[in-house]
Amino acid sequence: MSLSQAFREKSFDDLPGWDEDDHLAAFAAFRRSAFHILAKPYRSGRLGVDFNAFSGAYAAARTVSPTDRREARAFFERHFIPAHIAAESGGAGLVTGFYEPVVDASPVRTERFTVPLLSRPADLVDIDDANRPVAMDPYLAFGRATPDGPVEYFDRGEIERGALAGKDLAGKGLEIAWLADKVDAFFIHVQGSARLTMTDGRLCRVTYAAKSGQRFTGPGKILGELGEIPLEAVTMQSVRAWFKAHPQRIDEILRRNRSYIFFREISVSEAAVDDPELGPIAAAKVPLTPGRSVAVDRLLHTFGTPFYIDGPSLTAFDNKPFRRLMIAQDTGSAITGQARGDLFTGTGDAAGEIAGVVRNPADFYALIPRRLVPGAGR
């Protein structure tokens, strides 16, 4: 596998603000991936950043413990070479934000709690080139098992109208928990995880398990195209405000997003192995680190890759230009493109306020293992 020409080699001196970043926080996130890959390696992305080339950096990360930013910075400079990667258009990339909501929920349906979060149905099957019917949309990675072979799974509208009524999973109902608000449930689908404060006193966590498979269509884009919200004013907050003002149109707008997410329940402590402030275990199978984990296009990039992201116009995190070393540890159906990232902001309402307004141009610098860069040395 050869490295894509999309990467343009740079020096660390070329990275704006590199000297000022907290590399120790980024190292902690990177180290979690270094231990996870002992159990299961990551898949190499199509842009040619070979997972095996990380072996030296991962081995070192498991054995060293930097005590300050200077030592952590030296670790990354020793093992990697930065390479700029532009968007396919040739311009700047784009960053958005995501977070882990905290929402009240009930273990049973009640008069107030009527909106379910569902676990993966038994008839939902993974689709790949080996079992994909000839006529099936090549985008679909999930389908519905039938006696005649897999077909496209029910979409959001069909599921919400009762397509799964009566189905069960391992002898239980599919409902993990019940929420009071359709919009809250939808944004949990968008974020892919949540902490639930249950009416029986428990605190539980749900995280992504699978999806119906159809393409994601964001309500902000829909409302912008309908002229309901100016596109430049679309944020999670403005979309929520529109739904609050137009409750009779919630189903109409949300069901235009055909994609539907299924969840699995985990304990709160399962994700926060070494730090209660860590986020949920995501696609790279490690707990997300607030402000240091980024979701990327998994088909193009390799999980565990460090990305230095320079977004001068993004100041929502700490009231200064966003220039941080992030670790690729998640993905999402809306995160497509070689210079596209979704920044994990943390858990709860404060994190949601940040995530909801992040939509900024940014320059992406992938830190490439030195063995992949001719003449870079080891």
Coordinates of all heavy atoms in Angstrom, one line a residue, residues 46 126-134 136-141 150:
R46 N -7.7 3.9 3.0 CA -7.4 3.9 1.6 C -6.3 4.9 1.2 O -5.8 4.7 0.1 CB -8.7 4.1 0.8 CG -9.7 3.0 0.9 CD -11.0 3.4 0.1 NE -12.0 2.4 0.3 CZ -13.3 2.5 -0.1 NH1 -13.7 3.7 -0.7 NH2 -14.1 1.6 0.0
D126 N -25.1 -7.6 8.7 CA -24.1 -6.8 8.0 C -24.1 -7.2 6.5 O -24.2 -8.4 6.2 CB -22.7 -7.1 8.6 CG -22.6 -6.6 10.1 OD1 -23.6 -6.0 10.5 OD2 -21.6 -6.9 10.7
I127 N -23.8 -6.2 5.7 CA -23.7 -6.4 4.2 C -22.4 -6.0 3.8 O -21.8 -5.0 4.1 CB -24.8 -5.5 3.5 CG1 -26.2 -5.9 3.9 CG2 -24.6 -5.7 2.0 CD1 -26.7 -7.3 3.5
D128 N -21.8 -6.9 3.0 CA -20.5 -6.6 2.3 C -20.6 -7.2 0.9 O -21.6 -7.7 0.4 CB -19.3 -7.2 3.1 CG -19.4 -8.7 3.4 OD1 -20.1 -9.4 2.6 OD2 -18.9 -9.1 4.4
D129 N -19.4 -7.2 0.2 CA -19.4 -7.7 -1.2 C -19.8 -9.2 -1.3 O -20.2 -9.6 -2.4 CB -18.0 -7.4 -1.8 CG -17.8 -5.9 -2.0 OD1 -18.7 -5.2 -2.0 OD2 -16.6 -5.6 -2.1
A130 N -19.6 -9.9 -0.2 CA -19.8 -11.3 -0.3 C -21.3 -11.7 -0.3 O -21.7 -12.7 -0.9 CB -19.2 -12.0 0.9
N131 N -22.1 -10.9 0.4 CA -23.6 -11.2 0.4 C -24.5 -10.1 -0.1 O -25.7 -10.2 0.0 CB -24.0 -11.5 1.9 CG -23.9 -10.3 2.8 OD1 -23.2 -9.3 2.5 ND2 -24.5 -10.4 4.0
R132 N -23.9 -9.1 -0.8 CA -24.7 -8.0 -1.3 C -25.5 -8.4 -2.6 O -24.8 -8.8 -3.6 CB -23.9 -6.8 -1.6 CG -24.7 -5.5 -2.1 CD -23.7 -4.4 -2.5 NE -22.7 -4.1 -1.5 CZ -22.9 -3.4 -0.4 NH1 -24.1 -2.9 -0.2 NH2 -22.0 -3.2 0.5
P133 N -26.8 -8.3 -2.6 CA -27.5 -8.6 -3.8 C -27.1 -7.6 -4.9 O -26.8 -6.5 -4.7 CB -29.0 -8.4 -3.4 CG -29.0 -8.6 -1.9 CD -27.7 -8.1 -1.5
V134 N -27.2 -8.1 -6.1 CA -26.8 -7.3 -7.3 C -27.5 -5.9 -7.3 O -26.9 -4.9 -7.6 CB -27.0 -8.1 -8.6 CG1 -26.7 -7.2 -9.8 CG2 -26.1 -9.3 -8.6
M136 N -28.8 -4.2 -4.9 CA -28.8 -3.4 -3.7 C -27.8 -2.2 -3.8 O -26.7 -2.4 -4.3 CB -28.4 -4.3 -2.4 CG -28.4 -3.5 -1.1 SD -28.0 -4.5 0.3 CE -29.7 -5.2 0.6
D137 N -28.2 -1.1 -3.3 CA -27.4 0.1 -3.2 C -26.0 -0.2 -2.6 O -25.9 -0.7 -1.5 CB -28.1 1.2 -2.4 CG -27.4 2.5 -2.3 OD1 -26.2 2.6 -2.7 OD2 -28.0 3.5 -1.9
P138 N -24.9 0.0 -3.3 CA -23.6 -0.3 -2.8 C -23.2 0.4 -1.6 O -22.3 0.1 -0.9 CB -22.7 0.0 -4.0 CG -23.4 1.0 -4.8 CD -24.9 0.6 -4.7
Y139 N -24.0 1.5 -1.2 CA -23.7 2.3 0.0 C -24.1 1.5 1.2 O -23.5 1.6 2.3 CB -24.4 3.6 0.0 CG -24.4 4.4 1.3 CD1 -23.3 5.3 1.5 CD2 -25.3 4.3 2.3 CE1 -23.2 6.0 2.7 CE2 -25.2 5.0 3.5 CZ -24.2 5.8 3.6 OH -24.1 6.5 4.8
L140 N -25.1 0.7 1.1 CA -25.7 0.0 2.3 C -24.7 -1.0 2.9 O -24.3 -1.9 2.2 CB -27.0 -0.7 1.9 CG -28.1 0.2 1.4 CD1 -29.3 -0.6 1.0 CD2 -28.5 1.3 2.5
A141 N -24.5 -0.8 4.2 CA -23.6 -1.8 4.9 C -24.4 -2.6 5.9 O -23.9 -3.5 6.6 CB -22.6 -1.0 5.7
P150 N -30.9 -11.0 1.8 CA -31.0 -9.7 2.4 C -31.6 -8.6 1.5 O -31.5 -8.7 0.3 CB -29.6 -9.4 2.7 CG -28.8 -10.2 1.8 CD -29.5 -11.4 1.5

